[in-house]
Amino acid sequence: MSAASFSDSLLRGRAAIVGASLGGVPMAPGRSPLEILGEAVHGALADAGLKLSDVDGLFTGSSYHFLAGLSVAEYLGIHPKFCEATMVGGSSYVGHLLTAAMALHTGQCEVALVCYGSNQGSGHGKLKSMAETPLYEAPYAPRYPISSYAFAAARHMHQYGSTREDLAHIAVAARQWAQLNPLAYARDPLSIEQVLAARMVSDPLSVLDCCLVTDGGGALVLVRSERAKDFPKPPVYVLGAAAATWHRQIASMPDLTVTAAAESGPRAFAMAGLTPQDVDVVELYDAFTINTLLFLEDLGFCAKGEGGAFVRGGRIAPGGALPVNTNGGGLSCCHPGMYGMFLLIEAVQQLRGEAGARQVANAQVALCHGNGGVLSSQVTALLGTAATV
């Protein structure tokens, strides 16, 4: 049996999300990251009909707490049997989903809690730069992290002819979704012309090509699939998940136009037994507009170099052929430092039919893709309703 088929047979549909909640979105002035996390945790447990004392697996990460697992467990007053706090940037929480499924399947825990909280938008200790200085890039005085993403955007434009207008279509689509989401931070109308005329931050990316800086937290509760139907809400099953890391600093990225999503995506699809054509809702880590374009290509929704043409004409906007970032994404909904958790919660709400005005009709399969570092850590997950298991 190959490694791929071994993983497929072990984990596909073996864990399910039975509770999900946001906290402090989009702003929670005067509250600490742990307080925001706590709100999300209590909301997710209430959603699942469980108590804190039921939690015996903890999966978390933080830019504020060096020993995040210990800090969160102490704050919540829980004594987990299994604690995992791998930190690979914004993709961490999508990675935690995979680890939680593994821990549940192997009996390391019975109730897994994945959680995050941040007050980056309103807090005094705003996180604006990298703690670890890239030695080979620092002499050129880049702006972290935007210059790294601008580097990739400029290369894609040079190599494939994509344009700033193509990227503007991504920003506008995200804003149109946000206008349907009462919790989204940025809901004013946005046009292609406004994006193109916006203040340049790091050529070719303007301020409207960049994600927001907000507060926010989120939490998920997972159990083994055989228990999933015993909870109040429809379960959402983990069909496939995979991670890949190819570099740390942008100067070490093998090809500025190809991310490690080109590896994590196919492996996640293989585990799930699905293809891009089977996906109803796509939630991508859009820290910058170039992210969405690169990930659509690397995950197989269009060919490499065709992302610019793919996003034109409202294809990824409300009413388009492929709903992408249906809550408004990091560009228009929220982005409290690390966005991966919010991909998952939006996917759960869509698959449960709880997304209100932005609900995608008959959504059965959702793809979530997390990004960490500077296009560095890539984690892909496929979630599905009971009909997909």
Side-chain angles (χ1 to χ4, degrees):
M1 180 181 289
S2 70
S5 61
F6 182 68
S7 298
D8 297 348
S9 63
L10 279 178
L11 288 179
R12 187 192 191 279
R14 300 301 179 93
I17 299 166
V18 295
S21 180
L22 297 169
V25 174
M27 287 293 186
R31 295 168 61 192
S32 73
L34 285 175
E35 289 171 332
I36 293 170
L37 176 148
E39 178 190 347
V41 167
H42 282 284
L45 289 169
D47 196 48
L50 293 171
K51 305 181 297 295
L52 268 173
S53 57
D54 295 316
V55 175
D56 59 355
L58 176 63
F59 304 79
T60 192
S62 174
S63 295
Y64 301 89
H65 305 285
F66 177 68
L67 301 175
L70 304 185
S71 297
V72 171
E74 180 177 81
Y75 179 78
L76 294 177
I78 60 176
H79 304 150
K81 295 190 297 185
F82 191 95
C83 183
E84 206 272 304
T86 296
M87 176 62 169
V88 286
S91 62
S92 298
Y93 314 98
V94 189
H96 291 159
L97 184 80
L98 173 58
T99 314
M102 294 166 63
L104 288 164
H105 181 63
T106 56
Q108 302 302 310
C109 62
E110 300 297 319
V111 176
L113 173 67
V114 184
C115 53
Y116 173 62
S118 168
N119 66 349
Q120 185 174 353
S122 66
H124 295 297
K126 293 182 180 180
L127 301 170
K128 293 184 178 178
S129 62
M130 299 167 63
E132 180 183 351
T133 301
L135 297 178
Y136 303 107
E137 300 170 20
Y140 301 94
R143 299 190 68 173
Y144 297 118
I146 184 173
S147 291
S148 298
Y149 289 88
F151 198 29
R155 181 62 194 180
H156 197 280
M157 290 176 177
H158 170 77
Q159 189 164 331
Y160 295 110
S162 51
T163 66
R164 288 195 62 224
E165 185 171 350
D166 295 334
L167 297 182
H169 279 280
I170 293 169
V172 169
R175 183 63 58 86
Q176 290 173 346
W177 283 112
Q179 290 177 309
L180 302 176
N181 181 2
L183 291 181
Y185 182 80
R187 302 184 67 200
D188 295 337
L190 183 65
S191 68
I192 300 294
E193 293 72 25
Q194 285 175 300
V195 179
L196 295 177
R199 175 174 57 87
M200 189 64 68
V201 180
S202 191
D203 193 9
L205 301 181
S206 78
V207 67
L208 290 174
D209 289 295
C210 302
C211 65
L212 304 168
V213 180
T214 71
D215 299 338
L220 299 172
V221 178
L222 290 90
V223 299
R224 285 189 288 277
S225 57
E226 55 264 32
R227 297 181 57 195
K229 294 182 180 179
D230 297 334
F231 294 86
K233 297 291 186 67
V236 172
Y237 294 87
V238 181
L239 303 179
T245 300
W246 289 356
H247 68 281
R248 168 64 176 93
Q249 302 176 21
I250 199 72
S252 297
M253 188 173 179
D255 181 335
L256 288 168
T257 69
V258 181
T259 74
E263 178 188 336
S264 64
R267 288 200 279 112
F269 276 116
M271 182 186 292
L274 298 170
T275 70
Q277 289 69 40
D278 298 313
V279 176
D280 301 307
V281 180
V282 179
E283 309 296 344
L284 304 175
Y285 197 118
D286 59 341
F288 302 92
T289 50
I290 186 61
N291 293 38
T292 301
L293 188 150
L294 291 176
F295 297 152
L296 287 170
E297 293 178 347
D298 292 341
L299 293 168
F301 291 98
C302 62
K304 178 54 62 179
E306 296 181 2
F310 186 84
V311 299
R312 294 174 198 155
R315 185 194 293 262
I316 64 173
L322 184 68
V324 174
N325 294 344
T326 51
N327 61 347
L331 292 169
S332 282
C333 178
C334 68
H335 196 292
M338 294 184 289
Y339 181 70
M341 174 64 71
F342 305 94
L343 304 165
L344 299 167
I345 292 175
E346 176 64 15
V348 169
Q349 292 179 342
Q350 287 286 343
L351 296 179
R352 284 178 169 181
E354 297 176 343
R358 66 187 188 279
Q359 179 65 50
V360 175
N362 195 35
Q364 301 293 321
V365 174
L367 180 144
C368 301
H369 182 78
N371 166 75
V374 287
L375 296 172
S376 310
S377 168
Q378 305 297 324
V379 189
T380 310
L382 287 147
L383 306 178
T385 66
T388 67
V389 178

